[in-house]
Amino acid sequence: MSICQQATSGCRLLRLICVGNEPDPFTMKMNLTPFSVKFQPVFEEVITMYSTIRVFSVLFLLSAPMVYGKAHGDMEFSDEIKTRQQLVQVALAREPADLIIRGATVLNMFTSKWQKNQDIVIKGKRIAWTGDAGAWSGKSKQIHDASGLWAVPGFGEPHKHIESTYLSPEYEAELVIPMGNTWTAEGSHEISNVVGNYNAEYWLKAERAGSPLKIFVSVGSATPPTVYESGGGYYGYKEMADFLKYDLRVIALGEVMDWPALINPGAPGHQRIWEMIQATYDNRGVVEGHGKGLSDLNDINAFAAAGLSSDHDADSKEAGFNKLQRGTYLELRADEARYVLPYLVEQGIESWSNVSITTDDRDVHTTLQLGSMDYNIRNAIESGVPMKDAYAMGSFNTAKHFHIEHLMGSIAPGRYADVVLLSDPKTVAIERVFANGQLAGEKGKYLLPIPKIEYPEWVSNTMNIGRQVTAEDFEIKAAAGRKTMNVALMEVFYFAPDFIRGELPVTDGVVKADPAKNINKVALVDRHTGSGKVAKMFWRDVGIVTPRSALASSHAHDLHNVWALGNDDEAMALAVNTVAESGGGWALVNNGKVVAKVRLELAGLVTQRPAAEVAEEVEALNIQADKMKWIGNPGIPELMRFAFLTASPWKWQLVAPYEGNPGGFVNVTNGEIHPVVW
């Protein structure tokens, strides 16, 4: 039936309802029923109105295809749609391919089967076709012989802080792509606490400039980490929603870690955390978790019930298994994987689809020694995970978790042409790595040019201490007339509900550190607000014995103020000022002189330099540190950069001074404060 016929039939039905029959075909007068005589004027008015509607309806319906066709025919498709339209034509052999990787044995992630003698047909950055070698009938500009090799998808990090590598994203690509790592879900709350609302823009700059490393941003929930800290950013509902709308590369809310604020409705940070979770759900993102110290079943269930979909902390093998059983996606670091994965094997789990492995934090020097995701996958295989599942844990599982499996995680049409060619899959022996359809790595070497990026001041000029600090800033004054003072003491990774108490001598009105008793001074300098405020106290079982010495760094998770550790106030001031003058990084002072430093000029966290050059500086720092005498273990106490975390399970912690707490010593679970000496 035509559009006109449909409209006419509709009006005829209306008349039948109103008057009981059709009008006389010759006179067009109504043969009214007795009931309708009384309402004739009303019925005729209704019929006239609907006849008019019929005319306009017919005209609209006739014109609609033209209007619709014009509007949508002129629509500008996105780059993603244009790419897929082209892939269709290549798959149908109507257009030529750019590259065929020929003859490899390919791991099919959808069937968990190895497929021998396969072709991977590539157009631009994506895969257009896969199947038996020679079966595709189209032409290709280039064929790469991969016979005798094993092909697996490019490795993907489920949870990594690239900032801990010390490299900007374009140089991170140089470091990790030859190791098979072609994409990363970036935790981002290190940089977010420095650059604030520029977070996503920073992470996407390198790929937009041509870097083949795909970075998917998990927006840092710990911005700021607690209500007792203030840095370069503040994220609530609006900020989180804006990030997710900004670019499809923004995929998640990163590791929700303020556990006391999350579970206690009266806690000061409760509203902000739940606003961010709601913003993530409202915009169809993934909510990541951080459950350090959570092993009680009630806590584990509450964690999952809150919607925190993943965890990269398993304090015991049992805790890891319990979290997995309640739907939490495990993102296991190498140290945890060594005890959790064998336990999962012992438990006889039949699906590894909700398990992955990750790096989290690993500096450039250590990465060059151990590896990246290749090391993590190798570790999983050695821990008893079936080999094919280990590779899925390093790619496909994580792509599904973040709902980006249409782009990453498998060697299949439409996905990025990220292919790792192995000579031995059991040992993760990498021969070549393709990223975005280009040969990017071979036998450990990066082969592609590194884009030149001009980073703006919001990330290249962030050391806002506001002044040079002096030795006096680090003095801890004693009460008048006292020869000793009671002191609050802490240790690295001290989680007890109360701090340690001790007693230290007073010299010239100042409380002194006592390296002979394994006690050094620790300080935290505000580098965000320009105030240059300094919080200081004493810590035990960490520090330097060598006189007039100190170590300082702007790597202080998660807010990244400048910390200093030492036994001499002048040495601590020199170390902090050296870090500030470098734009951020590390500085080591031995006997009153700077003997080593690492320059991290972007956000005070990373540097825009090649991996080998930065690793050389880190090695030089360690060599100079090895010449000094330290409390406890010899050498740089690298864990100090994580020692100022305020997430669960920390209780008492030193933060930068804030209103109402000039000393900066606070119980981050309830806001209680205490003097550092009394």
Side-chain angles (χ1 to χ4, degrees):
M1 184 181 291
S2 71
I3 293 173
C4 291
Q5 288 172 326
Q6 291 176 40
T8 302
S9 296
C11 288
R12 183 176 296 121
L13 178 60
L14 177 64
R15 286 195 185 95
L16 290 172
I17 293 170
C18 291
V19 300
N21 56 21
E22 292 271 19
D24 184 280
F26 299 103
T27 65
M28 296 303 291
K29 291 182 179 179
M30 300 295 177
N31 298 316
L32 300 175
T33 62
F35 169 79
S36 60
V37 169
K38 181 177 179 181
F39 297 100
Q40 178 181 355
V42 176
F43 290 147
E44 288 183 345
E45 184 176 341
V46 172
I47 291 168
T48 301
M49 178 181 69
Y50 276 91
S51 295
T52 303
I53 291 173
R54 179 189 67 179
V55 172
F56 282 105
S57 298
V58 170
L59 291 173
F60 173 77
L61 290 169
L62 287 172
S63 64
M66 291 183 288
V67 173
Y68 180 87
K70 184 177 188 302
H72 289 257
D74 291 346
M75 177 180 177
E76 181 67 25
F77 288 118
S78 67
D79 290 342
E80 177 68 17
I81 294 301
K82 289 177 182 177
T83 295
R84 292 187 179 275
Q85 288 173 333
Q86 186 178 49
L87 292 175
V88 168
Q89 300 306 311
V90 175
L92 295 171
R94 294 174 180 172
E95 290 187 15
D98 293 323
L99 172 68
I100 298 175
I101 300 175
R102 170 152 291 170
T105 298
V106 174
L107 179 57
N108 189 309
M109 286 295 174
F110 304 100
T111 63
S112 195
K113 297 287 186 182
W114 291 102
Q115 296 176 295
K116 295 182 178 179
N117 197 23
Q118 296 291 291
D119 272 356
I120 305 167
V121 178
I122 296 167
K123 183 67 175 181
K125 299 178 181 180
R126 304 288 188 93
I127 297 169
W129 188 96
T130 59
D132 292 339
W136 182 65
S137 58
K139 296 181 179 179
S140 177
K141 297 176 184 177
Q142 183 184 358
I143 296 178
H144 184 94
D145 183 14
S147 55
L149 298 176
W150 307 70
V152 294
F155 307 149
E157 292 268 12
H159 178 79
K160 185 177 184 180
H161 300 285
I162 292 174
E163 304 96 320
S164 292
T165 311
Y166 302 150
L167 301 177
S168 58
E170 69 272 30
Y171 287 99
E172 168 82 357
E174 177 209 21
L175 174 68
V176 302
I177 283 180
M179 301 172 183
N181 187 177
T182 62
W183 60 282
T184 292
E186 160 59 38
S188 97
H189 68 223
E190 319 309 338
I191 200 85
S192 69
N193 275 302
V194 181
V195 304
N197 290 344
Y198 293 109
N199 184 2
E201 182 179 343
Y202 168 77
W203 289 115
L204 301 181
K205 270 187 178 296
E207 187 181 355
R208 289 170 176 174
S211 174
L213 179 66
K214 276 76 66 183
I215 296 177
F216 296 89
V217 183
S218 292
V219 176
S221 66
T223 311
T226 66
V227 296
Y228 313 109
E229 301 165 273
S230 178
Y234 176 90
Y235 298 163
Y237 182 93
K238 181 182 184 301
E239 290 80 9
M240 187 65 211
D242 287 347
F243 278 128
L244 287 163
K245 293 170 184 174
Y246 171 70
D247 195 282
L248 292 176
R249 282 285 195 270
V250 182
I251 55 172
L253 173 61
E255 54 175 321
V256 174
M257 56 200 304
D258 192 349
W259 184 246
L262 182 82
I263 64 173
N264 296 310
H270 185 79
Q271 180 75 18
R272 186 187 74 85
I273 288 294
W274 282 101
E275 280 185 10
M276 292 192 77
I277 293 172
Q278 179 167 328
T280 307
Y281 281 159
D282 288 351
N283 291 277
R284 301 193 177 193
V286 176
V287 178
E288 295 280 279
H290 173 116
K292 178 72 175 175
L294 303 185
S295 56
D296 177 79
L297 270 184
N298 286 356
D299 286 339
I300 290 172
N301 277 279
F303 184 92
L308 311 188
S309 66
S310 68
D311 194 5
H312 54 278
D313 278 290
D315 296 303
S316 67
K317 59 188 181 182
E318 293 84 4
F321 186 46
N322 283 331
K323 290 176 181 181
L324 177 63
Q325 287 181 304
R326 284 149 187 87
T328 301
Y329 184 65
L330 297 184
E331 301 165 343
L332 298 171
R333 296 191 306 268
D335 56 332
E336 298 172 334
R338 293 189 189 100
Y339 55 78
V340 174
L341 293 178
Y343 186 72
L344 298 183
V345 172
E346 290 174 14
Q347 297 305 305
I349 69 168
E350 297 183 3
S351 172
W352 294 88
S353 61
N354 221 37
V355 183
S356 65
I357 59 254
T358 197
T359 297
D360 201 357
D361 299 278
R362 191 179 297 159
D363 71 36
V364 58
H365 182 255
T366 306
T367 301
L368 285 172
Q369 291 179 320
L370 296 181
S372 182
M373 279 296 288
D374 58 325
Y375 172 78
N376 300 336
I377 293 171
R378 190 178 303 114
N379 185 47
I381 294 171
E382 292 172 354
S383 296
V385 176
M387 182 174 62
K388 289 178 285 189
D389 291 309
Y391 283 106
M393 287 162 58
S395 56
F396 188 52
N397 292 359
T398 294
K400 289 193 297 180
H401 172 69
F402 286 113
H403 311 305
I404 54 173
E405 67 270 30
H406 61 298
L407 299 174
M408 314 305 304
S410 62
I411 298 175
R415 280 71 174 179
Y416 276 91
D418 291 359
V419 179
V420 180
L421 295 176
L422 308 164
S423 57
D424 181 5
K426 294 179 181 178
T427 60
V428 200
I430 298 174
E431 290 292 314
R432 290 160 235 155
V433 179
F434 286 83
N436 288 359
Q438 300 178 83
L439 181 59
E442 187 167 17
K443 294 189 180 297
K445 292 186 177 181
Y446 188 66
L447 303 178
L448 298 179
I450 297 172
K452 303 296 182 184
I453 300 173
E454 291 283 339
Y455 284 100
E457 281 214 353
W458 48 256
V459 70
S460 64
N461 184 19
T462 64
M463 295 302 297
N464 187 22
I465 294 177
R467 62 185 179 90
Q468 283 213 330
V469 294
T470 66
E472 189 176 359
D473 290 313
F474 297 90
E475 290 181 353
I476 298 178
K477 303 287 188 182
R482 294 280 294 271
K483 293 183 178 181
T484 64
M485 290 287 288
N486 298 313
V487 298
L489 294 171
M490 289 285 287
E491 298 174 350
V492 177
F493 291 8
Y494 185 76
F495 306 138
D498 200 4
F499 55 84
I500 307 160
R501 289 163 171 80
E503 188 177 61
L504 285 175
V506 175
T507 304
D508 297 328
V510 176
V511 187
K512 295 290 187 178
D514 192 349
K517 293 183 178 178
N518 290 350
I519 295 175
N520 258 211
K521 186 181 291 181
V522 163
L524 205 59
V525 182
D526 181 349
R527 65 99 156 192
H528 294 292
T529 66
S531 68
K533 292 180 178 178
V534 181
K536 57 264 186 179
M537 68 178 300
F538 297 100
W539 284 20
R540 74 179 189 184
D541 296 336
V542 65
I544 311 172
V545 177
T546 303
R548 299 175 58 219
S549 298
L551 175 68
S553 177
S554 53
H555 253 266
H557 292 239
D558 287 319
L559 202 67
H560 299 288
N561 284 307
V562 180
W563 60 265
L565 169 69
N567 55 35
D568 179 86
D569 295 336
E570 287 188 4
M572 293 175 77
L574 177 59
V576 169
N577 288 331
T578 301
V579 168
E581 290 162 7
S582 300
W586 292 76
L588 178 64
V589 175
N590 181 349
N591 205 15
K593 295 182 180 180
V594 176
V595 294
K597 58 185 179 179
V598 178
R599 175 170 59 86
L600 303 175
E601 75 281 359
L602 295 182
L605 299 174
V606 300
T607 183
Q608 198 176 7
R609 293 181 289 154
E613 180 181 333
V614 184
E616 188 176 327
E617 281 191 1
V618 174
E619 177 66 10
L621 177 71
N622 282 290
I623 289 172
Q624 289 298 324
D626 288 343
K627 297 176 181 179
M628 301 166 65
K629 188 174 181 181
W630 296 80
I631 294 171
N633 294 326
I636 289 281
E638 191 179 342
L639 286 177
M640 280 297 296
R641 62 176 170 151
F642 307 109
F644 296 94
L645 283 163
T646 50
S648 176
W650 271 265
K651 275 77 174 180
W652 285 93
Q653 185 57 284
L654 187 69
V655 302
Y658 59 91
E659 185 177 353
N661 187 10
F665 191 45
V666 60
N667 185 326
V668 294
T669 66
N670 58 23
E672 181 185 354
I673 65 175
H674 198 282
V676 297
V677 296
W678 66 96

